[in-house]
Each structure stands twice: as C-alpha cells, then as structure tokens.
Amino acid sequence: MAKKTSINRKQRTQLRHKRITNRLKQTANSKLRLVVSKSNKHLIAQIIDDTKGHTIICCSSKQMKKHANIAIAKQIGVDIAKKAIEKNIKEVAFDRGGNKYHGQIKALADAVREQGIKF
C-alpha cells in the first residue's frame, strides 16, 4: 500500500489497525488475543477472550505508577506472560492495535516470547 500524503498520522494508524484486525479475524478464530494499547504516557496489555467477550489478564504501566518506556514495556511483557502461564495460556494472537512494530511494542512482544508464549 503506497503511503498517501493527504492523510494524517491518526488516519494512517486507523487504516493500519483495520488491516491488522481483519487479518486476525481471518487467521486466529479460536485464539485468545494479546491486545496492546498505547497512549502518550502509558502502555496497556490485555489478554482477551473474544468468544466470551471479556478480559482474562491485564497489565499496564499505570499499575507500576510509571510512564511507559522500553524498560517498562519489557517488564509489562514479562508480567503478562507469567500471569498467562499461571492460567495455562500458551498461545495467543498478537494485536498491536494499529501501532508500528518497533520501540515499546517490539520490546513487549519480545519479552512475552522469551517467557514462552507463542504468537
């Protein structure tokens, strides 16, 4: 998809999010989703069961009372992976929510993979 100059950053993020969501709907029907949400100050990771429509596990930088950075993102990834392993969750679909796969998002995903959760 060619980069359009007439749309702003928010619209590009929305297009990316729509594309990611459509792909997840096609490929990961019965898997739980690891959803990552990012704001200017905080990073939130949740494991969601779409069949029942509720959140199973949640971890965020708000709970740590710190602003998100790469070190905090790694810690969130480790925490959510440990909680998932306790609940016998070994495989999830990664939903980065329209964010680019670099920086904090990549650090969180790598930390989750290192703990043994498969995407």
Side-chain angles (χ1 to χ4, degrees):
M1 181 174 177
K3 192 177 194 181
K4 295 181 182 179
T5 57
S6 63
I7 62 175
N8 60 21
R9 184 188 310 180
K10 185 175 181 180
Q11 290 169 333
R12 272 192 234 128
T13 302
Q14 289 171 343
L15 286 171
R16 196 179 310 118
H17 183 64
K18 190 174 182 180
R19 188 172 57 239
I20 291 166
T21 305
N22 286 337
R23 177 163 291 192
L24 283 175
K25 285 180 183 177
Q26 292 171 357
T27 59
N29 295 342
S30 62
K31 288 184 187 178
L32 301 174
R33 271 190 311 144
L34 173 60
V35 181
V36 179
S37 303
K38 183 179 169 187
S39 71
N40 288 337
K41 294 182 181 179
H42 295 290
L43 189 66
I44 303 161
Q46 301 174 341
I47 295 181
I48 297 176
D49 184 1
D50 288 324
T51 57
K52 296 179 182 175
H54 64 84
T55 301
I56 299 172
I57 302 169
C58 181
C59 189
S60 72
S61 61
K62 291 178 185 178
Q63 295 170 344
M64 298 178 187
K65 301 198 186 308
K66 296 183 179 180
H67 294 297
N69 58 28
I70 291 179
I72 297 296
K74 288 179 185 178
Q75 185 62 41
I76 291 170
V78 170
D79 290 347
I80 201 156
K82 286 182 181 178
K83 290 177 182 179
I85 290 170
E86 288 175 5
K87 294 196 176 200
N88 293 325
I89 299 170
K90 302 194 184 212
E91 191 170 349
V92 294
F94 187 63
D95 184 359
R96 54 193 168 96
N99 298 304
K100 291 183 179 178
Y101 187 81
H102 75 285
Q104 295 175 14
I105 305 297
K106 183 178 179 186
L108 187 140
D110 291 341
V112 172
R113 282 191 191 105
E114 286 174 4
Q115 297 298 317
I117 305 293
K118 293 182 181 180
F119 294 170

